[in-house]
Amino acid sequence: MHSTEKKALALNLLLSLLMAAGYMLLFAYNNTPLGAAIGSDNAMYLTMGTALAKGWAPYVDVFDHKGPLLFALQGLPQWIGGGYNLTAVFLQEVVALFACLTVVRALARALSCPPVWAQLVYLAMTCAFMDGGNLTEEYTNLPTLLALYMALRVFGQEKIGEKLFLPAAGMGVCAAAAFSLRANNALPIFALVAVLAAGLAITQRFAQLGQCAAGFTLGLLAVFLPILVWLAAKGALSAAWYGAIIHNMMYADSGTGDRFAALFTTSYGHMAMIVAAFACAGALAVWKKRRAPLLALAMLAAAAAGGLAAFLSRKFYIHYLMLGAPLAAVGAMAVVSALRQPRAQKAAALTLATVSALWLGISGVSANAARLSEREGLAQFAADAQTLMAQVPEDERDSFMAYRVEPKWYVAAKALPCMRFYFLQEILAQADPAVMDEIVDTFETDPPRWLVLFYNRTFSPPYDERVAQIFETEYERVGTAGQYQLLRLKE
């Protein structure tokens, strides 16, 4: 590498880092140093991460229906930061986005596109779906981009090479990482791999297919084995299977939204179609310019799988659409690179860069408004939580539970729950009634000594009658603050 190339690389890496930090300041507003909003899912993860940093077992001591890799990613910043550390999470998000932008740069070079332009497009493709940040879909973008890069380098040529073992192993690592964040997040990568493997089989390139199968399997094992060892050491294997697979599927199906109506009549569906259109246009461009029909079909399959993942749940949270953003960004790059005239390429790149910058600006204003709105009343909320928590003796805080409160209550009070189903209990039980059976059994056999509840608020679904009866008969109110009341187990 010549000195000018090294300087250009160093400059782009510095610019990528600045872009990642600036972007996250605005769009990762759940943990931003500008004044964090904390949010809901993020608050659950902060509690989860803090519990793990103190040695608690995933799924067994603290539950979520996400994958074990998300548990690890939430535990790491709290292990470093000492618990409930928002800044540590923010820095982790900046590092993750910087890594994504580095891969986008590599993809741009492979497609003969200007790197900074491509990075702007990628950021514009994701900003509307950040939803405050620190979510599984955000972290899944890195393995998805890496898988696309390896597929492009190997299968994006007119003639596929012979050395496929290492790229296949890399794609196995990416698929396993995405799956371990949340099982349905891996659908685009698995679809990509399945079509590429089918293409090798149909064209009877069995030696190459064997290399790919061996490499992909090794990549899967490289991720899954350490995770399984960790879970086994924590006694959490069966609980992880239930949480990450069984309950995850139940939760996805527990919504009430109409998928067909959502696709055609909501902004969620319209944005999903826009993302898919970019990906499909890119696949067509790859087919036309690179004479790589196998990669083009694989990109189409991955785009369809990303759409399936976004509509697998009936809840339609906007951050689900981020799973399609890497394919959409690569699609935009491929379309520009397929233009024959250099002037047309430059004009298209400049137009997309300008539109992306404008969209980032508009979305940034909206994200900042959402942050400020979320922060309204946060100081009073935190003061109420700390007022009640101060009444719980230090030596009894290991027998404390906040039941059906906003998840950020734990963050505000710097508290940890004594039961593994620590948030939105009736919502989780709506997906699987066995959750409420376990909660009731715990209240009957080993009840928390201290309890915080919302009051004067109607819930949907309502409190389980068995739990409500226990609260009324077995606990006494000892304090109130804001919309919350502190209960103590009767002697």
Side-chain angles (χ1 to χ4, degrees), residues 323-377:
L323 295 173
L327 280 151
V330 172
M333 288 184 250
V335 168
V336 171
S337 69
L339 298 174
R340 294 182 178 179
Q341 299 296 326
R343 286 185 178 180
Q345 285 187 351
K346 289 180 180 180
L350 181 60
T351 300
L352 277 173
T354 302
V355 171
S356 295
L358 288 172
W359 176 244
L360 282 166
I362 293 169
S363 300
V365 171
S366 177
N368 193 55
R371 179 183 68 87
L372 293 175
S373 176
E374 283 284 322
R375 284 187 61 80
E376 286 184 13

Side-chain angles (χ1 to χ4, degrees), residues 142-151 154 163-178 189 192-193 211-223:
L142 180 56
T144 303
L145 285 165
L146 282 168
L148 285 169
Y149 176 73
M150 284 178 276
V154 174
K163 298 179 180 179
L164 302 182
F165 180 84
L166 287 179
M171 293 179 79
V173 168
C174 293
I189 300 177
L192 184 76
V193 170
Q211 285 186 45
C212 286
F216 187 73
T217 301
L218 181 65
L220 292 176
L221 292 175
V223 175

Side-chain angles (χ1 to χ4, degrees), residues 15 31 33 39 56 72 123 134 144 166 200 202 214 223 237 260 266 272 284 289-290 300 325 348 405 420 468 486:
L15 182 59
N31 296 292
W56 293 24
L123 293 176
N134 194 33
T144 303
L166 287 179
L200 292 176
I202 291 170
V223 175
L237 276 175
F260 186 82
T266 67
L284 185 63
K289 181 180 179 180
R290 290 179 168 261
L300 287 175
V405 303
R420 67 170 181 151
L486 179 67

Side-chain angles (χ1 to χ4, degrees), residues 5 18 20-21 33 39 69 102 130 136 173 189-190 217 221 260 281 351 365 367 382 406 426 428 440 442 453:
E5 292 177 331
L18 293 174
L69 185 55
T102 302
M130 279 292 290
T136 65
V173 168
I189 300 177
F190 277 114
T217 301
L221 292 175
F260 186 82
T351 300
V365 171
E406 293 184 36
E426 269 79 6
L428 296 178
V440 171
T442 302
L453 301 177

Side-chain angles (χ1 to χ4, degrees), residues 77-95:
Q78 303 313 326
W79 178 71
I80 294 172
Y84 288 121
N85 192 304
L86 279 65
T87 302
V89 178
F90 172 77
L91 292 175
Q92 177 173 270
E93 290 185 274
V94 171
V95 170

Side-chain angles (χ1 to χ4, degrees), residues 106-129:
L107 280 162
R109 287 174 62 85
L111 289 167
S112 302
C113 291
V116 176
W117 162 80
Q119 290 168 329
L120 272 176
V121 170
Y122 172 74
L123 293 176
M125 294 287 185
T126 62
C127 66
F129 312 134

